[in-house]
Amino acid sequence: IESRHRLRGGWQMAPYACQRRTPLLHSNQPLTEALETLAEEAGFSGSEGRSLAFTRAASVLKALPGRLSTLEELGPLPGIGEHSRRVIQDVLEDGVCAEVERVKLSERYQTMKLFTKIFGVGVRTASRWYQEGLRTLVDLQERGTKLTRQQQAGLRHYDDLNTPVERGEAESISRAVQGAVQRCLPGTSVTLAGGFRRGKPHGHDVDLLLTHPEAGREAGLLSRVVSWLDSQDLILYQHSQENSYALQEGPEPPGGRDVMDRFERCFSIFRLEVQGGPGAARGWKAVRVDLVVAPISQFPFALLGWTGSRHFERELRRFASHERKMVLNSHALYDSRRVWQLWAYVGTWG
Ligand code: GTP
Ligand code: MN
Ligand code: MN
């Protein structure tokens, strides 16, 4: 499916990001950085559509086989709109894009970035705080801003959680969890997903997927694993969520673009012993860890869904729906037309 041949008048490229090879290192870093800054800023303003447009344009550039030197080389590539072209042209001609530089210097962007980097703070909360005149982390404390338990933990470990997690650290946490599951339920497998599974050398957290080869055995596993880790003083914060899949009446309706899945999961902060790096003096560092439990029958979909990137997943689901009339999520892949027939049937008979 992949097509990256250089043609006269531009590059040719498959329209969906999930059809393209997107290497970790690519040759158009300054361009993608500029576009991703604008994508982030659009997200901060609640303009999801605009944010997606910039993300798409950046994704196309990441798949180019070489460094872009003129806008003409791009040709009529899919997914790069007017605005993105203007940004690309500015960066190619002047090395920077004035609009992007303005955004980076703006008080709103900087404050939104500062606040959304707190674990548990999303765009809505950050935006409200900004509106209320809050600008710094100290402001949050001094003005007695009401924080959730999660945000309190996020603030307490702000520096650690915004220091990249190295692969070695991710592997060490993975081993600790492995040890815990062997105690609680031997045979359970622990798989490192997220950015590390894509080969990234560092990440913002550690995503671990748990499953057991015998269906049903995984029930109740997470709370036992978390309790054991906690008893070993490995956990600084945790917040678990039950599996809500069984509570559903039927499969998600086609087009239901729910990014959240329904697996039992635990959003946590681990206390990782370290020898070097920022936490060296203390001897430990706080690391964000996501633990997700999938029944074996759904494991392939869970693994696919939790490997990312976010944009790759979005495009994969869009491809399934638009090109195959199928629904893909972290639980299953199915024919959307058949499901609607089933739903109509269930609806008729109450
Ligand atoms: P870094 O952690 O920054 O290295 O990047 P990452 O790609 O690992 O990002 P993140 O940990 O946020 O998410 C990893 C993958 O899991 C992404 O593809 C997300 O789309 C996916 N993911 C995160 N949260 C959820 C969720 O609640 N449900 C589902 N289905 N997927 C999720
Ligand atoms: Mn991750
Ligand atoms: Mn994660």
Side-chain angles (χ1 to χ4, degrees):
I1 313 174
E2 183 200 349
S3 49
R4 293 197 299 156
H5 312 292
R6 190 167 192 166
L7 295 186
R8 228 176 314 142
W11 312 94
Q12 188 188 319
M13 194 173 298
Y16 293 87
C18 57
Q19 297 172 296
R20 310 190 286 251
R21 187 183 293 273
T22 307
L24 213 48
L25 298 172
H26 61 89
S27 333
N28 292 288
Q29 205 75 42
L31 298 175
T32 57
E33 257 175 45
L35 292 166
E36 283 175 342
T37 301
L38 295 183
E40 191 181 27
E41 156 64 18
F44 287 164
S45 319
S47 315
E48 288 313 318
R50 231 157 45 82
S51 177
L52 188 55
F54 288 125
T55 302
R56 284 229 172 93
S59 153
V60 166
L61 296 185
K62 285 178 188 174
L64 288 181
R67 200 166 69 85
L68 192 69
S69 45
T70 66
L71 198 57
E72 287 67 47
E73 271 184 314
L74 268 185
L77 274 190
I80 304 190
E82 256 329 288
H83 197 157
S84 294
R85 280 179 190 270
R86 234 165 31 234
V87 174
I88 293 169
Q89 185 162 24
D90 286 353
V91 177
L92 288 178
E93 285 173 2
D94 309 328
V96 289
C97 166
E99 186 190 358
V100 175
E101 296 311 299
R102 229 177 9 253
V103 163
K104 284 201 284 195
L105 289 175
S106 81
E107 190 176 30
R108 187 183 150 84
Y109 175 79
Q110 289 181 1
T111 310
M112 288 296 287
K113 215 167 154 89
L114 180 80
F115 288 162
T116 51
K117 283 190 336 193
I118 303 172
F119 173 46
V121 176
V123 166
R124 295 234 310 259
T125 304
S127 188
R128 194 178 70 239
W129 289 347
Y130 182 79
Q131 233 99 82
E132 291 169 2
L134 300 167
R135 294 291 181 271
T136 65
L137 300 183
V138 174
D139 286 349
L140 292 177
Q141 281 155 339
E142 285 183 349
R143 307 237 199 128
T145 309
K146 208 168 168 302
L147 301 174
T148 62
R149 197 172 64 88
Q150 185 181 23
Q151 293 163 349
Q152 286 168 19
L155 207 50
R156 195 159 50 240
H157 303 294
Y158 190 85
D159 290 334
D160 276 8
L161 298 187
N162 286 293
T163 304
V165 182
E166 304 298 326
R167 175 172 290 275
E169 297 174 334
E171 280 162 359
S172 149
I173 285 176
S174 183
R175 277 193 301 274
V177 173
Q178 192 91 53
V181 301
Q182 282 327 315
R183 271 179 158 267
C184 302
L185 181 63
T188 303
S189 72
V190 177
T191 309
L192 184 57
F196 289 111
R197 185 156 185 270
R198 304 199 303 277
K200 277 173 55 176
H202 33 71
H204 99 282
D205 70 353
V206 182
D207 304 288
L208 294 173
L209 226 57
L210 276 52
T211 193
H212 191 277
E214 278 170 63
R217 296 290 302 278
E218 78 286 347
L221 170 66
L222 192 60
S223 63
R224 277 182 283 145
V225 168
V226 172
S227 298
W228 192 79
L229 290 165
D230 201 18
S231 73
Q232 304 297 301
D233 278 335
L234 282 166
I235 295 204
L236 295 164
Y237 168 89
Q238 66 93 9
H239 156 96
S240 294
Q241 215 171 286
E242 277 175 31
N243 175 336
S244 54
Y245 200 65
L247 301 177
Q248 256 190 305
E249 309 230 299
E252 216 140 89
R257 300 201 172 281
D258 206 352
V259 280
M260 292 297 279
D261 54 52
R262 292 159 183 280
F263 293 119
E264 190 179 3
R265 90 234 347 245
C266 175
F267 303 100
S268 69
I269 301 178
F270 271 47
R271 183 184 185 281
L272 175 70
E273 310 264 331
V274 290
Q275 254 97 57
R282 271 183 266 145
W284 61 272
K285 174 192 176 188
V287 177
R288 270 274 299 117
V289 179
D290 286 332
L291 299 176
V292 182
V293 179
I296 187 73
S297 62
Q298 298 171 21
F299 181 73
F301 305 102
L303 183 58
L304 180 60
W306 277 84
T307 297
S309 69
R310 225 163 257 280
H311 188 60
F312 176 89
E313 302 294 340
R314 195 187 298 129
E315 290 279 284
L316 202 55
R317 288 164 198 210
R318 195 166 65 93
F319 180 87
S321 132
H322 293 195
E323 306 296 327
R324 296 289 183 271
K325 302 277 173 275
M326 295 184 90
V327 176
L328 173 68
N329 57 34
S330 290
H331 300 281
L333 173 68
Y334 52 84
D335 187 321
S336 53
R337 290 159 297 193
R338 279 192 213 149
V339 166
W340 277 116
Q341 285 164 15
L342 186 69
W343 268 48
Y345 178 81
V346 172
T348 308
W349 298 99

